[in-house]
């Protein structure tokens, strides 16, 4: 989700900002999914090229990164943990019977047999290594023209690991991206030099100080994950049939079950830390102009989506592109003044052109398709209206 939003937003910025080349900046910092994007930009890949590789997913293209590669089960991790299970089970049984320990205490012995991740992230390293091995690119931090820092978290110490900085720049860029995006619970920790690393967002959200300490004068921050405001209206969907999709009632977070609750929790934790970090940066680096770009908290498109659907990836990227354009238009005066100090201007002709699009979307649904959607909404409303009566009957 983060990568999709960032690509759409970057394409909008690339078109609208006159005097700024997003592939020729001084320092790129990538955390978690942002590591994919930062590594691509530092390697000279334009936002449009990133869109072709990560969003369009054209089989005819040589530079393709398919998000479905992130859904490969971690068979190796499952096997390693399964080998440990018999011995741990015997130990738990002994402690629960002969050792006369409580059931809970005995079951704790089985903890090491649980996998550290559900999906394998090995393909991230291998595929990105191929992507960065093409002419004009490199998988070596030390051979880049610009400074690139990809931040992960050392699992054993909890400290940030700034891959790309002196002492950390011997690690391949692709391996650093894999480590920085290894979200605990979903992906196993990544072993590098006998240490294990996980997602860089566990320590901090932006990690911008590694660039700010170098004395930069302008910092562009893209934060793709914000807590979703699911405040809903009291009218049912069927009563809002004439309203656009974004105006209709949005389900409550709890209705989405554990994945939705965990997603909202993760987003809230990340965003609250980012807000504190931004305030610190503004105080500690008063000579640096900071521009933060992030989604609207009440935008349902970026929350209620299946990012592994090819069609929806395109829609989400287009949505991020258009909402970023709208944000630039709304902040034209204040943002234009800040950017002008660095020789950058907003292109009004680009921002005001309604014909501009990032990707070609499919044709709108037919009359039959719209009728089916309306019927589904009616059935949902009917089921919701009958729920109290069913509960009273029980």
């Amino acid at each position: 989700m983060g990568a999709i939003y960032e690509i759409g937003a970057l394409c909008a910025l690339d078109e609208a900002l006159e005097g700024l080349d997003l592939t020729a900046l001084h320092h790129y910092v990538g955390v978690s999914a942002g590591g994919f994007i930062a590594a691509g930009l530092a390697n000279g890949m334009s936002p449009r090229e990133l869109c072709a590789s990560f969003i369009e997913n054209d089989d005819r293209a040589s530079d393709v990164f398919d998000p479905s590669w992130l859904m490969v089960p971690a068979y190796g991790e499952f096997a390693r943990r399964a080998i440990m299970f018999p011995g741990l089970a015997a130990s738990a049984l002994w402690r629960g019977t002969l050792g006369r320990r409580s059931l809970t205490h005995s079951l704790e012995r089985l903890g090491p047999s649980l996998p550290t991740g559900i999906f394998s992230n090995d393909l991230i390293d291998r595929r990105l290594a191929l992507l960065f091995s093409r002419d004009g690119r490199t998988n070596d931090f030390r051979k880049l023209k610009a400074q690139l820092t990809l931040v992960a978290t050392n699992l054993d110490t909890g400290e940030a690991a700034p891959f790309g900085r002196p002492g950390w720049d011997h690690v391949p860029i692709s391996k650093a991206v894999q480590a920085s995006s290894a979200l605990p619970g979903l992906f196993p920790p990544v072993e590098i030099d006998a240490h294990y690393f996980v997602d860089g967002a566990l320590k901090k959200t932006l990690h911008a100080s590694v660039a700010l300490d170098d004395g930069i004068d302008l910092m562009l921050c893209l934060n793709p994950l914000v807590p979703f405001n699911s405040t809903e209206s009291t009218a049912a969907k069927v009563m809002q049939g004439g309203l656009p999709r974004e105006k209709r009632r949005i389900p409550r977070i709890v209705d989405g079950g554990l994945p939705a609750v965990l997603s909202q929790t993760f987003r809230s934790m990340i965003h609250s830390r980012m807000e504190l970090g931004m305030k610190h940066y503004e105080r500690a680096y008063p000579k640096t102009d900071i521009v933060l770009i992030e989604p609207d908290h009440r935008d349902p498109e970026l929350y209620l989506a299946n990012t592994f659907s090819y069609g929806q990836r395109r829609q989400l990227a287009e949505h991020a592109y258009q909402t970023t354009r709208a944000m630039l238009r709304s902040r034209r005066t204040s943002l234009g003044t800040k950017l002008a100090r660095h020789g950058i201007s907003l292109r009004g002709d680009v921002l005001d052109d309604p014909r501009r699009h990032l990707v070609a979307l499919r044709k709108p649904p037919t009359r039959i398709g719209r009728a089916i959607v309306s019927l589904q909404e009616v059935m949902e409303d009917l089921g919701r209206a009958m729920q109290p009566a069913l509960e009273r009957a029980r």
Side-chain angles (χ1 to χ4, degrees):
M1 178 67 74
I4 292 171
Y5 172 81
E6 289 181 5
I7 288 174
L10 283 169
C11 286
L13 292 172
D14 194 41
E15 292 179 353
L17 299 184
E18 183 75 29
L20 181 67
D21 183 355
L22 292 177
T23 63
L25 305 183
H26 294 99
H27 199 150
Y28 299 87
V29 180
V31 184
S32 195
F36 292 86
I37 311 305
L41 292 173
N43 258 294
M45 296 180 68
S46 70
R48 286 282 179 171
E49 288 179 309
L50 291 173
C51 182
S53 296
F54 289 83
I55 306 300
E56 295 287 0
N57 201 15
D58 189 346
D59 292 336
R60 295 168 297 177
S62 57
D63 293 347
V64 171
F65 187 92
D66 191 342
S68 65
W69 296 334
L70 304 177
M71 299 294 287
V72 178
Y75 295 116
E77 175 69 6
F78 296 158
R80 285 190 293 272
R81 301 293 167 172
I83 293 174
M84 302 169 61
F85 182 77
L88 293 172
S91 175
L93 181 62
W94 182 88
R95 295 171 74 90
T97 54
L98 300 180
R100 297 182 179 181
R101 297 294 182 92
S102 66
L103 176 62
T104 303
H105 194 278
S106 300
L107 290 177
E108 288 179 354
R109 302 290 297 176
L110 299 178
S113 66
L114 298 176
T116 57
I118 301 173
F119 304 110
S120 172
N121 51 6
D122 291 337
L123 278 176
I124 294 177
D125 179 24
R126 295 204 293 270
R127 297 291 183 172
L128 288 183
L130 291 174
L131 189 68
F132 296 150
S133 65
R134 304 191 184 282
D135 291 341
R137 303 175 191 167
T138 179
N139 200 29
D140 190 331
F141 284 102
R142 296 162 294 190
K143 295 181 180 180
L144 290 171
K145 296 179 180 178
Q147 176 68 48
L148 171 64
T149 303
L150 302 175
V151 185
T153 303
N154 188 314
L155 185 62
D156 293 315
T157 66
E159 295 299 319
F163 293 107
R165 304 297 282 178
W168 300 88
D169 53 2
H170 65 286
V171 177
I173 295 174
S174 56
K175 178 63 72 173
V177 173
Q178 179 190 5
S180 180
S181 59
L183 186 63
L186 285 182
F187 303 107
V190 178
E191 184 178 6
I192 300 175
D193 296 340
H195 294 278
Y196 288 89
F197 299 90
V198 293
D199 198 302
L202 268 67
K203 182 68 176 178
K204 287 197 298 185
T205 302
L206 287 177
H207 291 277
S209 57
V210 296
L212 289 166
D213 288 339
D214 289 344
I216 61 173
D217 56 359
L218 174 66
M219 181 172 72
L220 302 176
C221 302
L222 266 68
N223 173 48
L225 297 182
V226 297
F228 178 50
N229 185 345
S230 64
T231 304
E232 59 185 17
S233 64
T234 56
K237 286 181 182 178
V238 69
M239 300 300 294
Q240 304 180 49
L243 294 178
R245 181 179 176 187
E246 62 271 14
K247 298 291 185 181
R248 300 185 184 186
R249 189 175 68 185
I250 301 167
R252 295 174 300 175
I253 298 295
V254 71
D255 293 338
L258 180 61
V261 172
L262 289 178
S263 175
Q264 181 75 334
T265 302
F266 183 70
R267 289 165 177 261
S268 299
M269 292 173 59
I270 283 183
H271 198 262
S272 63
R273 291 188 312 176
M274 190 211 66
E275 288 180 319
L276 292 175
M278 291 295 289
K279 293 179 181 178
H280 167 70
Y281 296 146
E282 291 173 355
R283 292 193 304 267
Y285 305 93
K287 295 182 179 181
T288 301
D289 283 323
I290 301 175
V291 177
L292 173 63
I293 298 169
E294 61 182 8
D296 188 331
H297 290 250
R298 299 190 63 172
D299 185 351
E301 297 291 334
L302 292 170
Y303 190 81
L304 306 174
N306 173 16
T307 57
F308 292 95
S309 164
Y310 170 55
Q312 284 206 316
R313 288 206 306 276
R314 293 166 59 89
Q315 291 175 359
L316 290 173
E318 176 70 22
H319 182 71
Y321 171 80
Q322 296 296 352
T323 54
T324 302
R325 281 166 48 84
M327 180 276 296
L328 292 174
R329 288 194 297 268
S330 66
R331 296 168 56 184
R332 190 179 319 211
T333 301
S334 60
L335 190 57
T337 301
K338 181 179 290 189
L339 293 175
R341 294 197 287 264
H342 309 280
I344 303 169
S345 60
L346 288 170
R347 294 186 57 187
D349 60 322
V350 171
L351 291 176
D352 296 330
D353 185 357
R355 298 167 298 179
R356 287 185 173 268
H357 293 278
L358 177 61
V359 295
L361 299 178
R362 295 176 180 175
K363 295 180 179 180
T366 63
R367 182 180 300 177
I368 295 177
R370 291 194 297 269
I372 293 175
V373 172
S374 297
L375 178 60
Q376 290 175 334
E377 293 179 352
V378 171
M379 296 302 295
E380 290 177 6
D381 291 335
L382 180 61
R384 190 176 295 108
M386 294 181 62
Q387 190 65 31
L390 293 173
E391 292 179 354
R392 287 195 298 270
R394 294 193 189 100

